[in-house]
Amino acid sequence: MREISIPEARRLGLHRQGLLKTASFGRGKNAVARAIKQLGYVQIDTISVLDRAHHHVLKTRVPNYTEQMLDQLVRRDKRVFEYWSHAAAYLPLDEYRFYLPMMEGFRHSREADLDTKLAAEVIDRIRSEGPLQSKDFKPPEGHTSGGWWEWKPAKETLEHLFLSGQLMIAHREGFQKVFNLTENVLPGDIDISTPSLDEWYRFLVLRVVRGYGIATAANITTACRTVAQFVKQPLRAGLLASIKHLVAEGQLEPLRSGGQTWYTLPGALDELPSRLPPKEIRFLSPFDHAVIDRKRTSDLFDFEYQIECYVPEAKRRYGYYCLPILWGDELIGRMDAKAVRATGTFELRGLFLEPQVKLDERLEAALSGGIRGLAEANGCEVVEVVGAVPERLK
């Protein structure tokens, strides 16, 4: 088993994730498809303090990314689809069959919750009228909502039919889902055979390792833990057995680093550039692959990170939506910011560098340029500095 340093392991992960140099996946719509394929999924999140998570992750990797590119890949090209992975996500459509166990598991586990009469009515309407949104269904007479968490019955039914695989999200209008029958969305040449349990475990392991670039067994099982909501199988045991088999078959390469065993794809380490590309500043989404597993982030970057939007305000250290700052191959700090699009103002609420980071003119210029670029990418012409650490950065 080869031994590598933590910096080498870190660079391997960043290289495979498309974060070590500019335009690793190229430019344009095909680059967006390649990025989603390599990562395995791109998480969708509703928070829109800056870009929504899926747009942010893709903009970080594809310099000329536009939202229209992703929409075309879903709606017209049918190379990407929405379903559940680590969370709600955009996924490569050619891997559709590997999500069938989750769909079947959801359908069987939530069967008692489905209003079958209403489900039949929803399906009949979509079949006769075409793709529909939840707003196209009126709540039954006398139904009153108790808050955002109490969906009207038709919306609950739409989501149930979607998660069980009977409906797909054909596209989105704004951020609103547009549902259609699965048979009307899936291309005819897509494989819809249900994988065996062994195939499915192997897929999950390889998808995580492909997306992370390098991962421990704990990283792999953590990334797959939400699957357990839907599929009643011994997930951890199955994944660990699959890792062992894939190593024996030469489809995974074990590496030793920092006192742990890590796994990567064969040949990945040999593709690592011998010299580091010029350093760039990147402000990562809190849901980026590089930081989504907090233990992995700590092991590789010696960086303790937590998104604080779920933390009570009085207990926040860095702000509501702090972004990890990647400088070359190191995480050097975090930034809390908000795009106020109504006024075209980018509010820089906090900029916090790690204690060991040496602030010089080169880093100052990179931070300044990166902040301006992120502001412009979010439709803001003015940067308003509310707070910064250290003070000289103001």
Side-chain angles (χ1 to χ4, degrees):
M1 187 185 301
R2 284 200 279 185
E3 181 97 23
I4 63 172
S5 67
I6 286 292
E8 286 176 310
R10 185 168 66 231
R11 290 165 196 157
L12 175 57
L14 291 171
H15 174 63
R16 300 292 290 182
Q17 289 179 18
L19 290 173
L20 200 58
K21 65 177 184 178
T22 301
S24 293
F25 298 108
R27 296 173 184 269
K29 184 176 64 176
N30 288 333
V32 175
R34 284 191 288 270
I36 295 172
K37 179 68 173 181
Q38 177 72 13
L39 296 174
Y41 75 90
V42 173
Q43 183 169 336
I44 301 168
D45 194 78
T46 58
I47 299 173
S48 57
V49 174
L50 296 170
D51 271 323
R52 296 192 192 275
H54 44 291
H55 297 312
H56 190 150
V57 167
L58 292 169
K59 276 185 181 177
T60 305
R61 291 163 170 80
V62 182
N64 66 337
Y65 170 82
T66 65
E67 296 181 16
Q68 290 72 29
M69 293 176 185
L70 181 58
D71 182 64
Q72 288 176 10
L73 288 169
V74 174
R75 188 193 303 229
R76 190 182 68 190
D77 300 353
K78 298 188 184 298
R79 296 168 65 185
V80 171
F81 77 110
E82 282 193 45
Y83 192 63
W84 196 268
S85 177
H86 170 78
Y90 286 104
L91 306 157
L93 189 61
D94 63 3
E95 295 178 352
Y96 177 84
R97 67 185 290 257
F98 293 104
Y99 294 89
L100 291 173
M102 296 174 67
M103 296 174 189
E104 292 169 4
F106 180 87
R107 185 163 60 248
H108 294 146
S109 64
R110 308 290 177 87
E111 197 168 16
D113 300 333
L114 181 64
D115 182 334
T116 54
K117 183 175 181 294
L118 181 54
E121 292 172 358
V122 167
I123 289 173
D124 285 345
R125 275 199 61 186
I126 294 176
R127 181 173 285 117
S128 61
E129 299 176 33
L132 296 173
Q133 301 180 49
S134 63
K135 70 178 183 180
D136 296 316
F137 297 87
K138 294 181 179 179
E141 188 174 345
H143 176 81
T144 56
S145 174
W148 63 266
W149 60 89
E150 188 180 322
W151 291 352
K152 60 189 181 183
K155 185 170 184 179
E156 292 177 340
T157 302
L158 284 166
E159 290 294 327
H160 190 291
L161 294 171
F162 161 64
L163 288 171
S164 63
Q166 294 164 269
L167 296 180
M168 291 183 71
I169 298 172
H171 60 277
R172 288 183 182 244
E173 297 290 349
F175 197 60
Q176 300 305 308
K177 301 170 184 174
V178 180
F179 296 92
N180 200 350
L181 301 180
T182 296
E183 63 204 55
N184 294 338
V185 178
L186 274 185
D189 59 349
I190 290 292
D191 186 352
I192 56 171
S193 60
T194 301
S196 67
L197 197 55
D198 180 59
E199 280 183 290
W200 185 63
Y201 285 137
R202 294 161 75 93
F203 164 76
L204 291 175
V205 170
L206 291 172
R207 188 199 66 182
V208 175
V209 174
R210 184 183 75 213
Y212 279 167
I214 185 169
T216 65
N219 298 153
I220 294 168
T221 56
T222 298
C224 298
R225 68 183 182 274
T226 53
V227 171
Q229 297 178 54
F230 299 156
V231 182
K232 304 302 181 185
Q233 294 292 342
L235 189 69
R236 185 175 183 276
L239 293 172
L240 295 179
S242 187
I243 291 170
K244 184 177 179 180
H245 294 153
L246 288 165
V247 169
E249 295 167 7
Q251 295 191 57
L252 280 183
E253 180 181 359
L255 301 168
R256 194 75 181 164
S257 184
Q260 297 188 84
T261 299
W262 299 75
Y263 301 94
T264 191
L265 297 182
L269 189 60
D270 299 326
E271 295 173 7
L272 195 61
S274 56
R275 297 179 60 183
L276 274 175
K279 285 188 175 183
E280 294 183 46
I281 282 286
R282 291 183 174 87
F283 300 99
L284 302 180
S285 163
F287 304 99
D288 196 287
H289 279 55
V291 295
I292 194 64
D293 185 322
R294 310 312 189 205
K295 176 67 165 59
R296 181 178 180 276
T297 304
S298 176
D299 289 342
L300 290 180
F301 295 92
D302 192 23
F303 186 81
E304 302 302 322
Y305 177 68
Q306 178 184 22
I307 182 172
E308 296 185 347
C309 57
Y310 308 116
V311 175
E313 186 172 0
K315 295 184 177 181
R316 291 175 192 152
R317 297 177 60 195
Y318 301 108
Y320 178 81
Y321 198 67
C322 51
L323 310 180
I325 304 171
L326 184 66
W327 172 230
D329 65 339
E330 297 179 290
L331 289 172
I332 62 166
R334 59 211 88 202
M335 179 179 72
D336 184 41
K338 180 179 181 179
V340 185
R341 295 177 180 85
T343 61
T345 304
F346 187 85
E347 293 183 356
L348 179 54
R349 298 177 170 184
L351 185 62
F352 309 91
L353 299 183
E354 294 292 275
Q356 77 279 7
V357 173
K358 181 182 178 181
L359 184 62
D360 55 22
E361 290 184 0
R362 184 183 175 203
L363 178 53
E364 284 184 8
L367 284 168
S368 179
I371 290 166
R372 283 197 300 269
L374 187 62
E376 291 170 4
N378 281 273
C380 298
E381 297 178 355
V382 176
V383 176
E384 179 183 343
V385 182
V386 179
V389 177
E391 187 71 16
R392 64 181 282 197
L393 279 174
K394 285 189 176 182

